[in-house]
Amino acid sequence: MLDADEVRRIALSFPQTREKQRWGHPTFDVAGRMFVTVPDDQTSFAVRCPRLERDELILAEPDKFWVPRHEAGSNWVRARLAALEGADELRDILLDSWRQVAPPELHPVEGNRQDRSPRPR
């Protein structure tokens, strides 16, 4: 079963990611911008997500994705760890959030034979 330690392991595998404590729980930044946080209960995590996509995610999979009332105006969505299909899905979600804030030079070059996309260590 996925847990907060797996979120940490995958998040820290992405280039230039740093862990930082905010609000009493772990958050993960790239280039000084937060892309994931693990709330106190550690049964879920929050990632960046454009609002239109967020609404579609929640409608399609309400048991997996949701937004707390106090985050409704933000570009963040929460995901329940127990509802994910496995580590690959967790990695894809974290990577999408990381790409939204990472500097372009850290992104993989599309179509390049040397794919430099972040991989878990």
Side-chain angles (χ1 to χ4, degrees), residues 96-116:
D96 183 64
S97 185
W98 179 88
R99 284 180 171 151
Q100 290 179 54
V101 296
E105 61 269 15
L106 296 180
H107 290 233
V109 178
E110 297 297 325
N112 188 334
R113 285 180 32 203
Q114 289 184 307
D115 182 6
R116 297 180 304 150

Side-chain angles (χ1 to χ4, degrees), residues 83-96:
L84 298 181
E85 295 173 17
D88 287 343
E89 183 179 22
L90 173 58
R91 182 186 181 283
D92 289 346
I93 292 169
L94 295 177
L95 180 57
D96 183 64

Side-chain angles (χ1 to χ4, degrees), residues 39-59:
D40 293 335
D41 69 3
Q42 297 193 356
T43 62
S44 66
F45 60 97
V47 291
R48 291 179 175 270
C49 185
R51 279 189 227 166
L52 290 176
E53 291 177 28
R54 181 183 74 182
D55 294 344
E56 291 173 9
L57 280 174
I58 293 167
L59 284 173

Side-chain angles (χ1 to χ4, degrees), residues 4-14 28 87 94 120-121:
D5 289 335
E6 188 72 359
V7 173
R8 174 179 284 109
R9 184 187 70 75
I10 293 171
L12 289 173
S13 74
F14 301 148
F28 300 87
L94 295 177
R121 292 180 212 167

Side-chain angles (χ1 to χ4, degrees), residues 10-71:
I10 293 171
L12 289 173
S13 74
F14 301 148
Q16 297 186 22
T17 295
R18 303 288 179 259
E19 183 172 351
K20 182 176 181 180
Q21 289 291 315
R22 289 184 179 100
W23 312 291
H25 51 269
T27 65
F28 300 87
D29 295 11
V30 59
R33 297 187 67 199
M34 187 169 57
F35 70 94
V36 64
T37 182
V38 181
D40 293 335
D41 69 3
Q42 297 193 356
T43 62
S44 66
F45 60 97
V47 291
R48 291 179 175 270
C49 185
R51 279 189 227 166
L52 290 176
E53 291 177 28
R54 181 183 74 182
D55 294 344
E56 291 173 9
L57 280 174
I58 293 167
L59 284 173
E61 298 182 86
D63 293 335
K64 187 180 293 186
F65 299 104
W66 90 102
V67 175
R69 180 172 281 141
H70 70 276
E71 295 174 5

